[in-house]
Amino acid sequence: MNTRLRIALQKSGKLSDGSIDLLNKCSFNIKPAKNHYLVKSDELNTDFLMVRDDDIPGFIDSGASDIGIAGENLFIEYQLDNPNSNIEIISRLKFATCRLSIAVINNGSVKCLNDLNGKTIATSYPSTLKDFLHKNNINAKIIVMHGSVELAPKIGIADAICDLVSTGTTLKENGLLEMEVILRSEAVLVGRKGLSPDIKKRVDELIFRFQSVIKAKNSKYIMLHIDKANVAKLKNLLPGCEAPTTLALDGYPDKVAVHVVCEENVFWDTISKLKSIGATSILSVAIEKMME
Ligand code: PRT
Ligand code: ZN
């Protein structure tokens, strides 16, 4: 581990908390401070470069950092702008999920994709939008804005927008209607192709840790008591449940304690279905890490 592993992270914004949280669950213990643009960690001999998200794909491509956490939407826009780039998605991180959508004025003249012909669309993602319009044979003018895109129809500079949507609240607040999703996105770990074996080894270790944490986050450890005869029914009720472990219950020869790991979140309706087949003493416990 001679050279330092360099990881680019968004300094502040919708990716930063999720990135730091994930890394800290993998023992990095990062405490970002306002004016710190370079954060050092002894874990895997790593330097974190704290930058604007827009710079992350370019940093990795140029070799200023080895890997980085970016929005998939940004990665795709970068790839379209730089078809000969040397970067790739190396792990999906399952946070900062959002979609890039075309939105139009509520009750306006644009009601379907074809109505966009001859119209103007404002966006921060011109290449992704251009690609989508081209594939759908739509001839519209694109204007680029780097923020407050949802204002464009209100101030009369565009008929529609193409912007990121998460809850949809911002669109609603601005009298806009989501008409077409053109891309679904999540945070991704991006890496440069052809990393040195020394760096690659640490990147593989990082991906392993990330996936162990992500898998655990989406899983629950369930413990319950049930009649032996009903154990088979459990498998249908608990989605993603692996072969359950059953343990004898002292003094209750017809019952067993069942321990299972469920790969999907167990919601209240599942709990009531478990009760309906006679499950009692149900415990649902969060899992910290899951290693294969
Ligand atoms: O300063 P810097 O350049 O680093 O950050 P930025 O302001 O350019 O980016 P930022 O922090 O807003 O987003 C970074 C990344 O987070 C995006 O590239 C996406 O991959 C991801 N992401 C996830 C989002 C959202 N969710 C999201 N909701 N990015 C932006 N938004 C915007 C959305 O467009 C709307 O304006 O957040 C607002 C609230 O969304 P609603 O739908 O919940 O109302
Ligand atoms: Zn940005």
Coordinates of all heavy atoms in Angstrom, one line a residue, residues 10 12-15 52-54 71 73 96-98 125 150 163-170 185, ligand 1:
Q10 N -18.6 14.5 -3.1 CA -19.2 15.8 -3.2 C -19.0 16.5 -1.8 O -19.3 15.9 -0.8 CB -20.7 15.7 -3.5 CG -21.3 17.1 -3.7 CD -22.8 17.0 -3.8 OE1 -23.5 16.2 -3.2 NE2 -23.4 18.0 -4.6
S12 N -20.5 19.3 -0.6 CA -21.8 19.6 0.1 C -22.9 19.5 -0.9 O -22.8 20.1 -2.0 CB -21.6 21.1 0.6 OG -22.8 21.6 0.9
G13 N -24.0 18.8 -0.5 CA -25.1 18.7 -1.4 C -25.8 17.4 -1.2 O -25.6 16.7 -0.1
K14 N -26.6 17.0 -2.1 CA -27.5 15.8 -1.9 C -26.8 14.5 -1.9 O -27.3 13.5 -1.5 CB -28.5 15.8 -3.0 CG -29.5 17.0 -2.9 CD -30.9 16.7 -3.4 CE -31.9 17.5 -2.8 NZ -31.7 19.0 -2.8
L15 N -25.5 14.5 -2.3 CA -24.7 13.2 -2.2 C -23.8 13.1 -1.0 O -23.4 12.0 -0.7 CB -23.8 13.1 -3.5 CG -24.5 12.9 -4.8 CD1 -23.5 13.1 -5.9 CD2 -25.1 11.5 -4.9
R52 N -17.0 19.8 -6.0 CA -18.4 19.9 -6.5 C -18.7 18.7 -7.3 O -17.8 18.1 -7.9 CB -18.5 21.2 -7.4 CG -18.6 22.5 -6.6 CD -19.0 23.5 -7.5 NE -20.4 23.3 -8.0 CZ -21.1 24.1 -8.8 NH1 -20.6 25.2 -9.2 NH2 -22.3 23.8 -9.1
D53 N -19.9 18.2 -7.2 CA -20.2 16.9 -7.9 C -19.9 17.0 -9.4 O -19.4 16.0 -10.0 CB -21.7 16.5 -7.7 CG -22.7 17.4 -8.4 OD1 -22.3 18.6 -8.7 OD2 -23.8 17.0 -8.6
D54 N -20.1 18.2 -10.0 CA -19.8 18.3 -11.5 C -18.4 17.9 -11.9 O -18.1 17.5 -13.0 CB -20.1 19.7 -12.0 CG -21.4 20.2 -11.4 OD1 -21.5 20.4 -10.2 OD2 -22.3 20.4 -12.2
G71 N -23.6 11.1 -8.9 CA -24.9 10.7 -9.4 C -24.8 10.0 -10.7 O -24.0 10.5 -11.6
N73 N -26.8 10.1 -13.1 CA -27.2 11.1 -14.1 C -26.0 11.9 -14.6 O -25.9 12.2 -15.8 CB -28.3 12.0 -13.5 CG -27.9 12.6 -12.2 OD1 -27.8 11.9 -11.2 ND2 -27.7 13.9 -12.1
A96 N -29.5 8.4 -2.7 CA -29.7 9.6 -3.6 C -30.4 9.1 -4.9 O -30.1 9.6 -6.0 CB -28.4 10.2 -4.0
T97 N -31.4 8.3 -4.8 CA -32.2 7.9 -5.9 C -33.1 9.0 -6.4 O -33.6 9.8 -5.6 CB -33.1 6.6 -5.6 OG1 -33.8 6.9 -4.5 CG2 -32.3 5.4 -5.4
C98 N -33.1 9.2 -7.7 CA -33.9 10.3 -8.3 C -34.2 9.9 -9.7 O -33.7 8.9 -10.2 CB -33.3 11.6 -8.1 SG -31.6 11.7 -8.9
Y125 N -29.0 19.3 -18.0 CA -28.4 18.0 -18.6 C -28.7 18.0 -20.1 O -29.4 17.1 -20.6 CB -29.1 16.8 -17.9 CG -28.7 16.8 -16.4 CD1 -29.5 17.4 -15.5 CD2 -27.5 16.2 -16.0 CE1 -29.2 17.4 -14.1 CE2 -27.2 16.2 -14.7 CZ -28.0 16.8 -13.7 OH -27.6 16.9 -12.4
E150 N -36.6 25.0 -12.7 CA -38.1 25.0 -12.6 C -38.7 26.4 -12.8 O -39.9 26.5 -13.0 CB -38.6 24.3 -11.3 CG -38.0 24.8 -10.0 CD -36.6 24.3 -9.8 OE1 -36.3 23.1 -10.1 OE2 -35.7 25.0 -9.3
D163 N -35.5 18.1 -15.6 CA -34.7 18.3 -14.3 C -34.8 17.1 -13.4 O -35.7 16.2 -13.6 CB -35.3 19.5 -13.6 CG -34.3 20.1 -12.6 OD1 -33.1 19.7 -12.6 OD2 -34.7 21.0 -11.8
L164 N -34.0 17.0 -12.4 CA -34.0 15.9 -11.4 C -35.3 16.1 -10.5 O -35.6 17.2 -10.1 CB -32.8 15.9 -10.6 CG -31.5 15.6 -11.4 CD1 -30.3 15.8 -10.5 CD2 -31.5 14.2 -12.0
V165 N -35.9 14.9 -10.3 CA -37.0 14.9 -9.4 C -36.8 13.8 -8.3 O -36.4 12.7 -8.7 CB -38.3 14.5 -10.2 CG1 -39.6 14.6 -9.3 CG2 -38.5 15.4 -11.4
S166 N -37.1 14.1 -7.1 CA -37.1 13.1 -6.1 C -38.5 12.9 -5.5 O -39.2 12.0 -5.9 CB -36.1 13.5 -5.0 OG -36.1 12.7 -3.9
T167 N -38.9 13.8 -4.6 CA -40.3 13.6 -4.1 C -41.3 14.2 -5.1 O -42.5 13.9 -5.0 CB -40.4 14.4 -2.8 OG1 -40.1 15.8 -3.0 CG2 -39.5 13.8 -1.7
G168 N -40.9 15.2 -5.9 CA -41.9 15.8 -6.8 C -42.4 17.1 -6.3 O -43.1 17.9 -6.9
T169 N -42.1 17.4 -5.0 CA -42.6 18.6 -4.3 C -42.2 19.9 -5.1 O -43.0 20.8 -5.3 CB -42.0 18.7 -2.9 OG1 -42.3 17.5 -2.3 CG2 -42.7 19.8 -2.1
T170 N -40.9 20.0 -5.5 CA -40.5 21.2 -6.2 C -41.3 21.5 -7.5 O -41.7 22.6 -7.8 CB -39.0 21.1 -6.5 OG1 -38.3 20.8 -5.3 CG2 -38.4 22.4 -7.1
S185 N -31.9 7.3 -11.6 CA -30.5 7.5 -11.2 C -30.3 7.2 -9.7 O -31.3 7.3 -8.9 CB -30.1 9.0 -11.4 OG -28.8 9.2 -10.9
Ligands
PRT1 O1 -22.7 22.2 -5.4 P1 -22.6 21.0 -6.2 O2 -22.4 21.3 -7.7 O3 -21.7 19.9 -5.7 O4 -24.1 20.3 -6.1 P2 -25.4 20.4 -7.0 O5 -26.2 21.5 -6.4 O6 -25.0 20.5 -8.5 O7 -26.0 19.0 -6.9 P3 -27.1 18.5 -5.8 O8 -26.4 18.4 -4.4 O9 -28.4 19.2 -5.8 O10 -27.3 17.0 -6.4 C1 -26.3 16.1 -6.5 C2 -26.8 14.8 -7.0 O11 -27.8 14.3 -6.1 C3 -27.6 14.8 -8.3 O12 -26.7 14.8 -9.4 C4 -28.4 13.6 -8.3 O13 -27.7 12.5 -8.7 C5 -28.7 13.4 -6.8 N1 -30.1 13.8 -6.4 C6 -31.0 13.0 -5.7 C7 -30.7 15.0 -6.6 C8 -32.0 14.9 -6.0 N2 -32.1 13.6 -5.5 C9 -32.9 16.0 -6.0 N3 -34.0 15.9 -5.5 N4 -30.3 16.1 -7.1 C10 -31.1 17.2 -7.1 N5 -32.4 17.2 -6.6 C11 -33.2 18.4 -6.6 C12 -34.4 18.5 -7.5 O14 -34.1 18.8 -8.9 C13 -35.2 19.6 -6.9 O15 -34.8 20.8 -7.3 O16 -33.6 18.7 -5.4 C14 -34.8 19.5 -5.4 C15 -35.9 18.8 -4.5 O17 -36.4 17.7 -5.2 P4 -37.9 17.2 -4.9 O18 -38.4 16.4 -6.1 O19 -37.8 16.2 -3.7 O20 -38.8 18.3 -4.6

